[in-house]
């Protein structure tokens, strides 16, 4: 599958983007091991979260779909999951696999976790190491999927200083910690998204955060609750970028999650001169949300603060495009983690931007992007949803037509991306071949 994008501007509009991926995964997993029924509205019905949903059903959890983005999870308590008959296929989703490894470490049955080609080459040692230190027994192919989780291990609490800033690792350890004897603590080198802690709190679990240390006593029961999932800021970022790059556009994106552990992209874009304001701030379930008003802006390059990286980890493809459209050069550093995402995102974005006539100097843990004018061209997304969508938006302000290849993975996180962008005025077509 590929996109063909012709030069075009987006126009004034008010839109909503699909639900938050990180929160939707957690709602399914935590709802399944809570006592009672959890209503989840605004659920992201994208392939990644549907893989988690199918996995929870395979472990005996009843999940009813009550609307296109509304589901009801019939939780069976901490000890209520059953042994799945087959390997759990988590598709493209690193979040699903790493969190599930933590959850399954505490069960009394064996399980196997598999994924697609991209997921099968992603590092799992980062969760296997702390989970093994808790007493879990996890086999892998040299630190990569498939994972075999052997059950019926008595887990002990862990005090774990994470070597990488990763919400997936933190969450995997906390999920295993629910089954461990004693107080499990995770110390993060930099703040990462805290959706697990917030949702556990909403379900009645006492989780303490003190500076960079997060602690939780094992064995606490989870109470079911209603979860309203906000729009995903990581998906909103493509709409934000389209508005910024167009002439005279003003777009309001309604009800977007603005959890401060996620808003690095807004901070970085604002520092570059982007006109983005947060309106009507409020809480939706336990998460901060706002309506984002974005106006077309001339942006200026600069040095991106490496201290903001963990709060913007998924938005660097978008930020590379913003840097390419900005005046001057932009230096990104401390983003080595991008090399182990759904693709090597530093290499993928450098190659994509170069194909569109932009000069990029690539380093091990960063890049310098030289602002310029996008030309038409033919670019690869390496099967990575965020690369595909970032390059598609860049293509709208190119001087000629752009073909973006290998775009099927957009369905993992942003179902309806092309229809939404087309409704805003982006001249984009999906071609099946
Ligand atoms: C996620 C954490 C981040 C992020 C991913 C979602 C999560 O990964 O990139 O898209 O939901 O916990 P890392 O923990 O590997 O940084």
């Amino acid at each position: 599958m590929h996109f063909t994008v012709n030069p075009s501007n987006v126009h004034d509009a008010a839109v909503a983007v699909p639900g938050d991926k990180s929160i939707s995964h957690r709602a399914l997993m935590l709802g399944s091991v809570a006592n009672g029924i959890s209503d989840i509205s605004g659920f992201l019905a994208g392939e990644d979260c549907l893989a988690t949903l199918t996995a929870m059903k395979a472990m005996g959890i009843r999940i009813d779909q009550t609307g296109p983005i509304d589901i009801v999870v019939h939780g069976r308590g901490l000890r209520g999951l059953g042994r799945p008959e087959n390997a759990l296929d988590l598709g493209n989703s690193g979040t699903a696999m790493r969190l599930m490894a933590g959850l399954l470490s505490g069960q009394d049955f064996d399980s196997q976790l598999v994924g697609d080609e991209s997921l099968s080459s992603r590092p799992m040692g980062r969760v296997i190491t702390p989970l093994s230190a808790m007493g879990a027994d996890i086999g892998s192919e040299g630190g990569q999927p498939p994972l075999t989780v052997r059950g019926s291990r008595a887990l002990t609490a862990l005090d774990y200083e994470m070597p990488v800033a990763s919400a997936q690792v933190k969450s995997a350890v906390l999920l295993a910690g629910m089954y461990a004897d004693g107080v499990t603590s995770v110390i993060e080198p930099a703040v990462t998204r805290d959706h697990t802690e917030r949702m556990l709190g909403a379900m009645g679990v006492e989780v303490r955060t003190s500076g960079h240390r997060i602690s939780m006593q094992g064995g606490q029961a989870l109470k079911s609750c209603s979860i309203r999932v906000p729009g995903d800021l990581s998906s909103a970022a493509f709409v934000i970028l389209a508005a910024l790059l167009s002439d005279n556009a003003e777009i309001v994106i309604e009800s977007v999650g603005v959890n401060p552990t996620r808003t690095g992209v807004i901070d970085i874009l604002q520092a570059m001169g982007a006109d983005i304001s947060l309106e009507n701030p409020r809480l939706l379930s336990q998460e901060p949300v706002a309506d984002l008003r974005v106006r077309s802006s001339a942006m200026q390059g600069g040095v991106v603060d490496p201290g903001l990286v963990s709060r913007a980890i998924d938005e660097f493809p978008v930020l590379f495009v913003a840097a390419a459209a900005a005046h001057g050069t932009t230096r990104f550093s401390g983003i080595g983690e991008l090399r182990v995402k759904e693709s090597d995102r530093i290499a993928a974005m450098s190659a994509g931007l170069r194909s569109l006539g932009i000069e990029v100097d690539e380093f091990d843990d960063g890049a310098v992007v030289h602002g310029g004018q996008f030309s038409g061209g033919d670019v690869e997304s390496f099967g990575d949803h965020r690369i595909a969508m970032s390059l598609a938006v860049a293509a709208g302000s190119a001087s000629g037509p752009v073909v973006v290849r290998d775009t099927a993975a957009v369905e993992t996180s942003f179902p309806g991306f092309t229809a939404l962008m087309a409704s805003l005025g982006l001249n984009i077509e999906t071609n099946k071949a």
Side-chain angles (χ1 to χ4, degrees):
M1 194 179 283
H2 63 270
F3 295 150
T4 305
V5 184
N6 280 290
S8 41
N9 259 309
V10 298
H11 49 67
D12 295 0
V15 292
V17 292
D20 189 276
K21 181 152 73 74
S22 294
I23 296 173
S24 296
H25 280 300
R26 286 158 172 82
L28 284 167
M29 291 187 204
L30 296 182
S32 295
V33 295
N35 294 313
I37 293 175
S38 294
D39 296 303
I40 304 166
S41 57
F43 173 74
L44 172 62
E47 286 171 0
D48 275 12
C49 298
L50 292 175
T52 294
L53 186 149
T54 304
M56 299 320 303
K57 279 186 169 174
M59 290 187 280
I61 299 298
R62 176 174 159 197
I63 302 175
D64 301 328
Q65 179 150 14
T66 50
I69 52 171
D70 299 317
I71 58 172
V72 176
V73 179
H74 296 253
R76 291 170 52 97
L78 273 182
R79 296 280 165 202
L81 299 181
R83 188 179 70 82
E85 274 183 26
N86 301 307
L88 301 171
D89 185 352
L90 302 171
N92 192 245
S93 178
T95 305
M97 187 167 287
R98 295 197 180 112
L99 269 60
M100 204 69 92
L103 184 65
L104 292 174
S105 292
Q107 308 305 320
D108 58 7
F109 52 81
D110 296 350
S111 50
Q112 224 205 353
L113 304 177
V114 300
D116 70 6
E117 200 185 325
S118 153
L119 183 53
S120 299
S121 64
R122 295 184 65 188
M124 294 296 146
R126 54 183 59 198
V127 289
I128 297 173
T129 299
L131 295 174
S132 303
M134 297 175 82
D137 182 349
I138 304 178
S140 70
E141 294 283 333
Q144 292 174 338
L147 302 183
T148 305
V149 186
R150 279 169 284 268
S152 303
R153 299 292 185 273
L155 300 186
T156 47
L158 180 68
D159 202 271
Y160 188 57
E161 201 157 328
M162 287 197 296
V164 281
S166 165
Q168 293 178 357
V169 175
K170 169 176 67 176
S171 301
V173 172
L174 291 175
L175 290 180
M178 301 192 306
Y179 295 88
D181 214 10
V183 175
T184 293
S185 294
V186 181
I187 300 114
E188 17 184 39
V191 68
T192 68
R193 65 193 69 196
D194 64 357
H195 307 304
T196 303
E197 299 92 300
R198 285 175 188 259
M199 199 176 291
L200 282 170
M203 292 183 157
V205 173
E206 203 186 318
V207 183
R208 283 205 200 108
T209 302
S210 161
H212 284 216
R213 171 183 286 271
I214 300 106
S215 306
M216 186 195 68
Q217 167 76 48
Q220 301 183 61
L222 280 63
K223 290 196 270 297
S224 59
C225 67
S226 284
I227 299 168
R228 295 170 67 197
V229 182
D232 197 327
L233 178 56
S234 297
S235 297
F238 304 109
V239 180
I240 294 174
L241 182 69
L244 292 174
L245 300 193
S246 292
D247 295 327
N248 295 317
E250 179 169 337
I251 295 188
V252 176
I253 315 166
E254 288 159 357
S255 207
V256 179
V258 288
N259 180 316
T261 61
R262 296 278 298 277
T263 46
V265 61
I266 297 176
D267 297 344
I268 295 168
L269 289 171
Q270 284 174 335
M272 295 173 75
D275 184 348
I276 305 171
S277 47
L278 275 59
E279 297 179 350
N280 195 15
R282 57 207 186 269
L283 273 185
L284 197 59
S285 298
Q286 63 286 347
E287 292 281 346
V289 300
D291 304 324
L292 305 183
R293 184 178 298 275
V294 190
R295 296 186 183 90
S296 306
S297 307
M299 290 181 284
Q300 181 66 46
V303 177
V304 174
D305 177 1
L308 293 174
V309 169
S310 65
R311 293 179 47 236
I313 191 68
D314 288 339
E315 285 68 67
F316 282 91
V318 163
L319 291 168
F320 270 47
V321 174
H327 298 290
T329 60
T330 303
R331 171 176 286 272
F332 298 100
S333 60
I335 55 170
E337 270 295 297
L338 265 67
R339 296 211 183 266
V340 290
K341 294 293 179 189
E342 286 83 328
S343 69
D344 175 343
R345 289 183 171 160
I346 301 180
M349 284 310 297
S350 300
L353 292 178
R354 283 190 197 116
S355 301
L356 299 181
I358 301 294
E359 200 185 322
V360 184
D361 312 317
E362 188 182 334
F363 312 117
D364 274 357
D365 78 333
V368 170
V369 178
H370 300 259
Q373 163 65 47
F374 299 117
S375 62
D378 199 310
V379 293
E380 245 320 307
S381 17
F382 302 94
D384 184 330
H385 54 137
R386 299 200 198 283
I387 303 297
M389 291 185 275
S390 300
L391 292 174
V393 174
S397 35
S399 56
V402 176
V403 174
V404 184
R405 308 255 168 218
D406 198 6
T407 56
V410 165
E411 290 300 314
T412 60
S413 69
F414 200 151
F417 170 76
T418 38
L420 186 132
M421 293 312 295
S423 77
L424 291 174
L426 185 72
N427 187 336
I428 182 169
E429 261 177 38
T430 302
N431 312 85
K432 290 264 185 278

